[in-house]
Amino acid sequence: MREGDDNALVSYADIFMSIKPEDMANIARGVKNHEFRKYLLPPSVRYIWFYTTAPVSAIQYVARVSRGKVPGEVPEDGGLGNAEFNAGEKESKFGYRILTLWELGQPITLHQAVSKRFLKGPPQKYTFVSKQLLRDYEMGKQIKVIARDEAVEDDSREEDADDENVKMKGEREPQESNGKKKITTLSENGQNKSISN
Protein backbone atom coordinates (compact mmCIF):
# COMPACT_ATOMS: atom_id res chain seq x y z
CA MET A 1 0.00 0.00 0.00
CA ARG A 2 2.89 2.36 0.56
CA GLU A 3 4.29 4.66 -2.10
CA GLY A 4 8.03 4.81 -1.54
CA ASP A 5 10.86 2.35 -1.24
CA ASP A 6 11.97 3.29 2.25
CA ASN A 7 9.61 3.16 5.23
CA ALA A 8 11.48 6.11 6.76
CA LEU A 9 10.27 8.28 3.88
CA VAL A 10 6.58 8.07 4.76
CA SER A 11 4.44 9.41 7.58
CA TYR A 12 2.23 6.81 9.21
CA ALA A 13 -0.02 9.60 10.51
CA ASP A 14 -1.00 10.69 6.98
CA ILE A 15 -2.71 8.86 4.14
CA PHE A 16 -4.01 9.60 0.67
CA MET A 17 -7.59 8.43 0.12
CA SER A 18 -9.84 8.74 -2.91
CA ILE A 19 -13.24 10.41 -2.60
CA LYS A 20 -16.04 11.27 -5.03
CA PRO A 21 -16.45 14.97 -5.90
CA GLU A 22 -19.97 15.17 -4.42
CA ASP A 23 -18.81 13.67 -1.11
CA MET A 24 -15.84 16.03 -0.94
CA ALA A 25 -18.11 18.99 -1.64
CA ASN A 26 -20.46 17.96 1.17
CA ILE A 27 -17.55 17.63 3.61
CA ALA A 28 -16.18 21.06 2.60
CA ARG A 29 -19.62 22.62 3.15
CA GLY A 30 -19.91 21.00 6.58
CA VAL A 31 -22.97 18.98 5.53
CA LYS A 32 -21.13 15.66 5.84
CA ASN A 33 -19.14 15.46 9.09
CA HIS A 34 -17.98 11.83 8.89
CA GLU A 35 -16.27 9.85 6.17
CA PHE A 36 -17.50 6.26 6.07
CA ARG A 37 -15.41 3.31 4.95
CA LYS A 38 -15.65 -0.50 4.95
CA TYR A 39 -12.26 -0.84 6.64
CA LEU A 40 -10.54 0.30 9.81
CA LEU A 41 -7.56 2.57 9.25
CA PRO A 42 -4.27 1.89 11.07
CA PRO A 43 -4.28 3.35 14.60
CA SER A 44 -1.47 5.78 13.69
CA VAL A 45 -3.54 7.61 11.04
CA ARG A 46 -4.75 11.06 11.98
CA TYR A 47 -4.78 12.95 8.67
CA ILE A 48 -6.49 12.11 5.38
CA TRP A 49 -5.29 13.83 2.21
CA PHE A 50 -8.36 13.48 0.03
CA TYR A 51 -7.77 12.78 -3.65
CA THR A 52 -10.96 13.94 -5.38
CA THR A 53 -11.66 11.68 -8.34
CA ALA A 54 -12.50 12.73 -11.93
CA PRO A 55 -13.35 15.22 -13.22
CA VAL A 56 -11.44 17.04 -10.44
CA SER A 57 -8.50 14.59 -10.29
CA ALA A 58 -6.61 16.52 -7.62
CA ILE A 59 -5.79 16.68 -3.92
CA GLN A 60 -7.59 19.76 -2.63
CA TYR A 61 -8.36 19.07 1.04
CA VAL A 62 -6.74 17.55 4.12
CA ALA A 63 -8.74 16.42 7.16
CA ARG A 64 -7.73 15.59 10.69
CA VAL A 65 -9.97 12.71 11.71
CA SER A 66 -11.09 10.81 14.79
CA ARG A 67 -10.44 7.16 15.45
CA GLY A 68 -12.71 4.78 13.56
CA LYS A 69 -16.20 4.61 15.05
CA VAL A 70 -18.66 1.75 14.67
CA PRO A 71 -22.46 1.96 14.25
CA GLY A 72 -23.97 3.45 17.38
CA GLU A 73 -20.93 5.61 18.16
CA VAL A 74 -21.52 8.34 15.59
CA PRO A 75 -23.52 11.33 16.90
CA GLU A 76 -26.77 11.85 15.05
CA ASP A 77 -26.32 15.60 14.81
CA GLY A 78 -27.75 16.05 11.33
CA GLY A 79 -24.55 15.05 9.55
CA LEU A 80 -25.23 13.48 6.17
CA GLY A 81 -25.34 9.69 6.49
CA ASN A 82 -24.83 9.53 10.26
CA ALA A 83 -28.26 8.12 11.14
CA GLU A 84 -28.11 5.57 8.32
CA PHE A 85 -24.65 4.45 9.47
CA ASN A 86 -25.81 3.96 13.06
CA ALA A 87 -28.81 1.99 11.83
CA GLY A 88 -26.54 -0.38 9.89
CA GLU A 89 -27.99 0.72 6.56
CA LYS A 90 -24.61 1.45 4.96
CA GLU A 91 -22.07 -1.02 3.61
CA SER A 92 -19.42 0.95 5.52
CA LYS A 93 -18.42 -0.44 8.90
CA PHE A 94 -16.39 2.50 10.23
CA GLY A 95 -16.97 6.25 10.44
CA TYR A 96 -14.25 8.88 10.82
CA ARG A 97 -15.31 12.25 12.18
CA ILE A 98 -13.89 15.27 10.34
CA LEU A 99 -12.35 17.26 13.20
CA THR A 100 -10.48 19.85 11.14
CA LEU A 101 -10.45 20.51 7.40
CA TRP A 102 -7.86 22.45 5.44
CA GLU A 103 -8.02 23.52 1.82
CA LEU A 104 -4.68 23.49 0.04
CA GLY A 105 -3.68 26.92 -1.26
CA GLN A 106 -2.34 25.14 -4.35
CA PRO A 107 -4.19 21.89 -5.16
CA ILE A 108 -2.01 18.96 -6.21
CA THR A 109 -3.13 17.56 -9.55
CA LEU A 110 -2.79 13.85 -10.26
CA HIS A 111 -0.14 14.64 -12.87
CA GLN A 112 1.87 16.62 -10.31
CA ALA A 113 1.50 13.91 -7.65
CA VAL A 114 2.72 11.23 -10.05
CA SER A 115 5.56 13.32 -11.49
CA LYS A 116 6.81 14.11 -7.96
CA ARG A 117 6.40 10.44 -6.99
CA PHE A 118 3.90 11.22 -4.24
CA LEU A 119 1.51 8.75 -5.91
CA LYS A 120 1.69 6.10 -8.62
CA GLY A 121 -1.92 6.77 -9.59
CA PRO A 122 -5.27 7.42 -7.88
CA PRO A 123 -5.30 5.70 -4.45
CA GLN A 124 -7.25 2.43 -4.64
CA LYS A 125 -7.71 2.08 -0.87
CA TYR A 126 -5.25 4.28 0.97
CA THR A 127 -1.57 5.12 0.63
CA PHE A 128 0.79 6.60 3.20
CA VAL A 129 1.98 10.14 2.48
CA SER A 130 5.64 10.93 1.90
CA LYS A 131 7.43 13.18 4.35
CA GLN A 132 8.62 15.26 1.41
CA LEU A 133 5.03 16.21 0.61
CA LEU A 134 4.49 17.22 4.25
CA ARG A 135 7.50 19.51 3.99
CA ASP A 136 6.21 20.99 0.73
CA TYR A 137 2.65 21.54 2.03
CA GLU A 138 2.87 22.62 5.68
CA MET A 139 -0.55 22.71 7.35
CA GLY A 140 0.18 26.08 8.93
CA LYS A 141 0.30 27.61 5.45
CA GLN A 142 -2.97 26.09 4.23
CA ILE A 143 -6.52 27.41 4.57
CA LYS A 144 -8.42 26.08 7.57
CA VAL A 145 -12.07 25.86 6.53
CA ILE A 146 -13.65 23.78 9.31
CA ALA A 147 -12.81 23.29 12.97
CA ARG A 148 -15.03 21.34 15.34
CA ASP A 149 -15.21 21.12 19.12
CA GLU A 150 -13.11 18.16 20.20
CA ALA A 151 -13.77 17.96 23.94
CA VAL A 152 -15.64 14.66 23.65
CA GLU A 153 -13.45 13.13 20.96
CA ASP A 154 -11.62 10.04 22.21
CA ASP A 155 -8.45 9.91 20.17
CA SER A 156 -6.37 7.28 21.95
CA ARG A 157 -3.96 7.13 19.02
CA GLU A 158 -1.99 9.97 20.64
CA GLU A 159 -0.90 7.46 23.28
CA ASP A 160 -0.50 4.44 21.01
CA ALA A 161 1.43 6.05 18.16
CA ASP A 162 5.10 5.28 17.61
CA ASP A 163 6.98 8.52 18.25
CA GLU A 164 9.51 7.76 15.55
CA ASN A 165 6.94 7.30 12.80
CA VAL A 166 4.15 9.71 13.74
CA LYS A 167 4.17 13.48 14.09
CA MET A 168 2.71 14.47 17.44
CA LYS A 169 -0.14 16.95 17.77
CA GLY A 170 1.16 20.51 17.71
CA GLU A 171 3.88 19.97 15.11
CA ARG A 172 1.30 20.14 12.34
CA GLU A 173 -0.59 23.16 13.70
CA PRO A 174 1.75 25.99 14.69
CA GLN A 175 0.31 28.76 16.85
CA GLU A 176 1.27 31.40 14.32
CA SER A 177 -0.07 30.66 10.86
CA ASN A 178 0.77 32.51 7.68
CA GLY A 179 -2.13 30.84 5.91
CA LYS A 180 -5.39 32.45 4.92
CA LYS A 181 -8.34 31.85 7.21
CA LYS A 182 -11.96 31.20 6.37
CA ILE A 183 -12.88 29.17 9.40
CA THR A 184 -16.28 27.70 10.17
CA THR A 185 -16.40 26.26 13.67
CA LEU A 186 -18.99 23.65 14.46
CA SER A 187 -19.96 22.38 17.88
CA GLU A 188 -20.93 18.76 18.53
CA ASN A 189 -24.57 19.59 17.89
CA GLY A 190 -23.73 21.03 14.49
CA GLN A 191 -24.31 24.67 15.41
CA ASN A 192 -22.07 27.27 13.80
CA LYS A 193 -19.93 29.42 16.09
CA SER A 194 -18.13 32.54 15.03
CA ILE A 195 -14.42 33.17 15.59
CA SER A 196 -12.70 36.51 15.58
CA ASN A 197 -9.32 36.41 13.85
Side-chain angles (χ1 to χ4, degrees):
M1 256 182 289
R2 291 183 197 124
E3 303 288 336
D5 301 323
D6 186 342
N7 291 350
L9 299 180
V10 299
S11 166
Y12 295 101
D14 299 74
I15 59 169
F16 291 115
M17 181 183 284
S18 292
I19 189 170
K20 295 178 181 178
E22 57 269 30
D23 290 331
M24 190 69 256
N26 283 329
I27 288 175
R29 288 166 44 214
V31 174
K32 188 173 188 280
N33 56 28
H34 284 74
E35 177 58 15
F36 302 105
R37 296 283 159 153
K38 296 179 181 178
Y39 47 85
L40 183 65
L41 293 173
S44 60
V45 172
R46 290 198 303 279
Y47 299 88
I48 299 176
W49 295 66
F50 286 112
Y51 169 77
T52 308
T53 58
V56 177
S57 302
I59 301 158
Q60 298 175 299
Y61 294 94
V62 182
R64 188 163 74 86
V65 297
S66 72
R67 64 179 176 83
K69 299 177 184 293
V70 297
E73 293 184 339
V74 169
E76 295 188 20
D77 53 8
L80 186 64
N82 291 4
E84 292 82 356
F85 175 77
N86 281 335
E89 297 173 2
K90 286 181 170 288
E91 292 184 9
S92 301
K93 302 300 181 185
F94 300 94
Y96 302 88
R97 183 166 178 80
I98 308 297
L99 301 174
T100 311
L101 186 71
W102 293 267
E103 182 178 358
L104 298 183
Q106 293 292 328
I108 308 168
T109 67
L110 179 59
H111 176 75
Q112 290 171 327
V114 171
S115 65
K116 293 182 178 181
R117 301 184 67 183
F118 296 149
L119 286 170
K120 293 180 180 177
Q124 297 303 305
K125 187 175 181 182
Y126 65 84
T127 303
F128 289 108
V129 174
S130 74
K131 291 181 179 178
Q132 182 59 54
L133 181 141
L134 299 183
R135 288 189 287 267
D136 292 348
Y137 293 86
E138 298 176 18
M139 284 299 96
K141 296 180 179 178
Q142 309 311 318
I143 307 163
K144 186 180 287 188
V145 293
I146 288 176
R148 290 189 167 90
D149 288 347
E150 303 170 36
V152 299
E153 289 297 334
D154 173 23
D155 196 343
S156 59
R157 291 170 300 173
E158 290 292 341
E159 300 174 0
D160 298 337
D162 180 349
D163 290 345
E164 294 182 1
N165 292 328
V166 180
K167 289 177 176 288
M168 293 294 99
K169 183 187 287 186
E171 288 185 303
R172 299 290 299 277
E173 300 179 55
Q175 292 180 348
E176 295 297 326
S177 172
N178 296 325
K180 301 175 184 176
K181 296 182 180 179
K182 53 174 184 178
I183 303 175
T184 299
T185 60
L186 302 171
S187 63
E188 283 298 312
N189 63 11
Q191 298 298 311
N192 289 351
K193 299 196 304 183
S194 61
I195 289 183
S196 57
N197 295 314

